[in-house]
């Protein structure tokens, strides 16, 4: 029998055990459903999500807030509803936590522009018949990505890399380049983010005057694993409202998917489940699919997602990276070696890939240029060992031309970012796809064989290379740019 209390709670019970974030409770009548929200502690400030039923009267939950002061015998109440977050126009321009509470210091949502609606964060993905197909290329203004790894509008793209190779910088540059052109709504989800990064991004979006079309949802690094595990679903619920109810295209940026997997592993360990390979949870595939399968397009609107994915120890065979790969339409792999050479963004053209890079989608010219560029860079990679042992002098004339093209291509695919101007002293560039393709094509045709390599380093369009060599100063590279010495040496051989 289900009882109802004066405050509307349908379920009443008491705590029987507290082990860190794990809370066991017993109910004399019916048990609250799995994924429903419970409240306990002083003034019911401890929020617990039901994780499993142990028997007909006992359950186990994961606390989404700190459990300090919670003791056996404490009262537990629940309404039978799952965790809910606000949706609608009222959330635009605001920053939220996993509970849908504002954390930006602004006015309460009740004083916002429209009535407040709340939705459960647990929802099934749209049925296959309701989902739409590819809706074209998603242009980023970043040469290395647009030419070699085109992103899908309405698809999912991952930025893979180890610690310190520039995933967050690339995400913030995408926000700068794309968010102003984004006609729909942008939702940023920070999973396990540092508070410094969240504050900086909030300020940058405000300075770009696009905050009124942006929603930010954060599960900070110091929060409970249960909260970090659910914050992705909270952000996705807000995005789904704009896609399904308002029929607006949504740009969903997630930083970082690995922190989501890591939080799931913590929750799984707290629940006493035996770990699987490398200590990950046995439900890794289904946990990740529960989030990723909801990010999709429908016939009315699309959710385009760009996700940063931390790769532990640069090991791309790590289960977290492997399971994430399978959900994506484009994978941008960031190389630590290229970053150490000063080639930013350090996109690895040989490991990165996109399902859209076919003549039927990007066009014959784009496909041909991208394939020729990959082949040239792959051949240069094979020649590096020979160059290191014998030097450039022992290469054939054709191999020397290949090395010259590849080195100039590598440097042309570098690009100064707007979000790093204060650190590099270089003015940021956003390059249209046609300009990027033209530059790659002309380099592959040896039109810039007489131009020093450093003239192609950290520029926008290919026209800036000629301006730099003529002394105009536009896009002028540093004297110690990567490859400058090698270019001078090659010029004398």
């Amino acid at each position: 029998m289900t009882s109802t209390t004066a405050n509307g709670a349908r379920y009443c019970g008491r705590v029987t055990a507290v082990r860190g974030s794990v809370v066991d409770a017993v109910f004399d009548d019916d048990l609250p459903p799995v994924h429903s929200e419970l409240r306990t502690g002083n003034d019911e400030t401890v929020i617990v999500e039901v994780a499993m039923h142990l028997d007909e009267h006992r359950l186990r939950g994961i606390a989404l807030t700190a459990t300090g002061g919670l003791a056996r015998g404490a009262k537990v109440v629940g309404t039978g509803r799952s965790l809910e977050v606000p949706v609608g126009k009222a959330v635009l321009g605001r920053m939220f936590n996993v509970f849908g509470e504002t954390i930006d210091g602004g006015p309460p949502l009740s004083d916002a522009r429209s009535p407040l609606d709340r939705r459960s964060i647990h929802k099934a993905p749209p049925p296959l018949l309701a989902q739409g197909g590819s809706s074209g290329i998603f242009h980023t203004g970043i040469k290395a990505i647009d030419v070699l790894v085109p992103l899908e509008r309405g698809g999912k793209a991952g930025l893979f890399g180890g610690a310190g190779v520039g995933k967050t910088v690339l995400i913030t540059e995408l926000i700068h380049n794309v968010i102003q052109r984004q006609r729909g709504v942008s939702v940023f989800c920070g999973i396990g983010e540092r508070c410094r990064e969240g504050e900086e991004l909030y300020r940058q979006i405000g300075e770009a005057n696009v905050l009124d079309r942006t929603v930010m949802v954060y599960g900070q690094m110091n929060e409970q694993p249960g909260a970090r595990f659910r914050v992705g679903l909270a952000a996705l619920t807000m995005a789904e409202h704009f896609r399904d109810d308002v029929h607006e295209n949504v740009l969903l940026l997630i930083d970082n998917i690995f922190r989501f997997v890591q939080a799931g592993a913590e929750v799984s360990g707290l629940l006493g489940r035996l770990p699987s390979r490398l200590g990950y949870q046995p439900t890794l595939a289904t946990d990740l699919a529960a989030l990723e399968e909801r990010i999709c397009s429908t016939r009315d609107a699309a959710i385009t997602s760009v996700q940063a994915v931390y790769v532990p120890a640069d090991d791309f065979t790590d289960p977290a990276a492997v399971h994430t790969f399978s959900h994506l339409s484009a994978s941008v792999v960031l190389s630590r070696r290229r970053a150490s050479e000063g080639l930013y963004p350090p996109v690895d053209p040989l490991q990165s890939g996109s399902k859209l890079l076919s003549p039927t989608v990007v066009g014959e010219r784009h496909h041909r240029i991208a394939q020729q560029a990959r082949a040239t860079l792959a051949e240069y990679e094979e020649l590096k060992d020979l160059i290191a042992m014998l030097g450039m002098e022992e290469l054939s004339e054709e191999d020397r031309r290949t090395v010259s093209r590849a080195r100039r291509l590598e440097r042309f695919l570098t690009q100064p970012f707007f979000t790093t101007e204060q650190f590099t002293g270089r003015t940021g560039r956003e390059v249209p796809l046609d300009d990027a393709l033209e530059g790659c094509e002309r380099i592959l045709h040896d039109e810039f064989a007489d131009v020093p390599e450093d003239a192609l380093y950290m520029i926008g369009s290919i026209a800036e290379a000629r301006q730099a060599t003529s002394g105009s100063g536009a896009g002028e590279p540093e004297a110690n740019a990567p490859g400058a010495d090698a270019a001078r040496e090659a010029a004398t051989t």
Side-chain angles (χ1 to χ4, degrees):
M1 177 179 177
T2 302
S3 59
T4 303
T5 63
N7 62 1
R10 293 178 53 213
Y11 303 92
C12 293
R14 61 186 182 280
V15 173
T16 57
V18 181
R19 297 182 299 278
S21 296
V22 179
V23 178
D24 289 355
V26 63
F27 290 78
D28 295 332
D29 298 318
D30 295 339
L31 286 177
V34 172
H35 293 157
S36 64
E37 177 186 343
L38 306 177
R39 290 184 176 266
T40 184
N42 296 329
D43 299 324
E44 300 181 359
T45 54
V46 178
I47 302 177
V48 180
E49 185 180 68
V50 179
M52 62 176 66
H53 292 168
L54 301 177
D55 56 36
E56 61 181 358
H57 291 296
R58 295 186 305 129
L59 60 78
R60 179 162 294 163
I62 292 292
L64 307 184
T65 56
T67 57
L70 187 61
R72 292 177 61 185
K75 181 181 177 182
V76 181
V77 298
T79 61
R81 297 191 303 268
S82 59
L83 199 64
E84 296 178 341
V85 293
V87 296
K89 292 184 178 180
V91 304
L92 294 173
R94 305 303 301 270
M95 184 188 296
F96 298 90
N97 61 14
V98 68
F99 307 110
E101 301 167 345
T102 56
I103 55 174
D104 54 9
L109 284 183
S110 57
D111 297 335
R113 292 165 286 180
S114 60
L116 190 62
D117 186 16
R118 299 184 72 90
R119 301 281 176 84
S120 168
I121 67 171
H122 297 283
K123 180 182 176 182
L128 292 177
L129 292 178
Q131 296 184 21
S134 174
S135 54
I137 303 299
F138 184 74
H139 298 295
T140 66
I142 300 173
K143 291 180 288 188
I145 294 178
D146 287 346
V147 173
L148 299 175
V149 201
L151 308 187
E152 178 186 7
R153 184 173 298 280
K156 297 186 282 284
L159 307 179
F160 291 83
V165 296
K167 297 182 299 298
T168 300
V169 171
L170 200 52
I171 282 277
T172 54
E173 186 70 9
L174 283 171
I175 291 173
H176 180 278
N177 290 359
V178 174
I179 204 169
Q180 293 183 348
R181 299 198 307 265
Q182 171 74 8
R183 295 181 179 178
V185 173
S186 299
V187 178
F188 180 86
C189 176
I191 304 177
E193 283 284 272
R194 303 168 183 87
C195 60
R196 169 187 58 81
E197 294 172 342
E199 189 276 332
E200 289 176 355
L201 183 61
Y202 183 78
R203 184 160 25 89
Q204 289 173 3
I205 292 177
E207 292 171 355
N209 297 320
V210 290
L211 190 59
D212 61 337
R213 302 291 296 169
T214 306
V215 185
M216 305 179 72
V217 187
Y218 277 95
Q220 293 178 210
M221 190 174 283
N222 64 323
E223 294 186 25
Q224 300 297 312
R228 287 182 273 119
F229 190 49
R230 294 307 187 201
V231 70
L233 300 182
L236 185 53
T237 300
M238 297 181 182
E240 286 174 329
H241 167 78
F242 289 104
R243 180 195 65 190
D244 299 334
D245 298 347
V246 188
H247 304 311
E248 285 195 85
N249 291 326
V250 181
L251 173 62
L252 175 63
L253 300 141
I254 303 177
D255 189 6
N256 186 300
I257 284 294
F258 176 78
R259 304 298 178 199
F260 168 79
V261 174
Q262 190 178 47
E266 293 181 53
V267 169
S268 179
L270 290 169
L271 293 174
R273 295 171 181 155
L274 290 176
S276 182
R277 183 184 168 201
L278 298 184
Y280 286 106
Q281 63 269 41
T283 56
L284 170 59
T286 51
D287 288 346
L288 191 58
L291 175 70
E292 296 285 2
E293 291 302 298
R294 289 172 59 180
I295 306 174
C296 61
S297 302
T298 64
R299 294 189 179 93
D300 298 317
I303 295 180
T304 302
S305 177
V306 181
Q307 310 168 10
V309 187
Y310 168 69
V311 181
D314 294 340
D315 179 15
F316 287 91
T317 64
D318 188 272
V322 170
H323 282 284
T324 306
F325 270 120
S326 61
H327 291 280
L328 306 176
S329 57
S331 301
V332 181
V333 176
L334 304 183
S335 164
R336 189 175 301 280
R337 177 180 59 80
R338 294 176 69 85
S340 67
E341 294 173 357
L343 301 173
Y344 292 101
V347 177
D348 190 324
L350 304 182
Q351 291 194 67
S352 303
S354 171
K355 296 177 181 177
L356 270 67
L357 195 58
S358 68
T360 56
V361 179
V362 299
E364 185 64 40
R365 177 172 177 258
H366 185 168
H367 178 261
R368 172 175 48 80
I369 294 172
Q371 292 300 97
Q372 290 178 354
R374 284 177 184 271
T376 301
L377 293 170
E379 192 171 348
Y380 175 47
E381 196 68 28
E382 294 176 355
L383 290 170
K384 281 184 177 179
D385 289 340
L386 187 60
I387 295 172
M389 290 186 294
L390 303 178
M392 289 281 292
E393 299 81 6
E394 299 301 320
L395 297 182
S396 66
E397 190 64 32
E398 181 58 34
D399 285 344
R400 289 191 193 185
R401 284 195 292 268
T402 298
V403 171
S404 175
R405 291 187 208 109
R407 292 181 65 86
R408 283 164 174 76
L409 199 59
E410 280 185 334
R411 278 139 189 82
F412 175 67
L413 291 176
T414 62
Q415 187 170 338
F417 282 176
F418 292 97
T419 53
T420 59
E421 287 180 356
Q422 58 181 322
F423 307 110
T424 64
R426 297 176 183 271
T427 304
R429 302 286 199 280
E430 182 179 354
V431 184
L433 175 61
D434 290 340
D435 290 352
L437 290 173
E438 179 192 0
C440 292
E441 188 174 36
R442 294 176 67 182
I443 291 172
L444 291 168
H445 290 166
D446 290 334
E447 291 186 31
F448 288 82
D450 60 333
V451 174
E453 291 175 7
D454 56 359
L456 295 162
Y457 178 70
M458 284 294 174
I459 62 173
S461 64
I462 196 68
E464 295 182 26
R466 293 294 186 190
Q467 295 171 1
T469 55
S470 64
S472 68
E476 186 174 352
E478 296 177 351
N480 60 348
D485 294 338
R488 286 188 286 271
E489 180 183 347
T492 61
T493 58

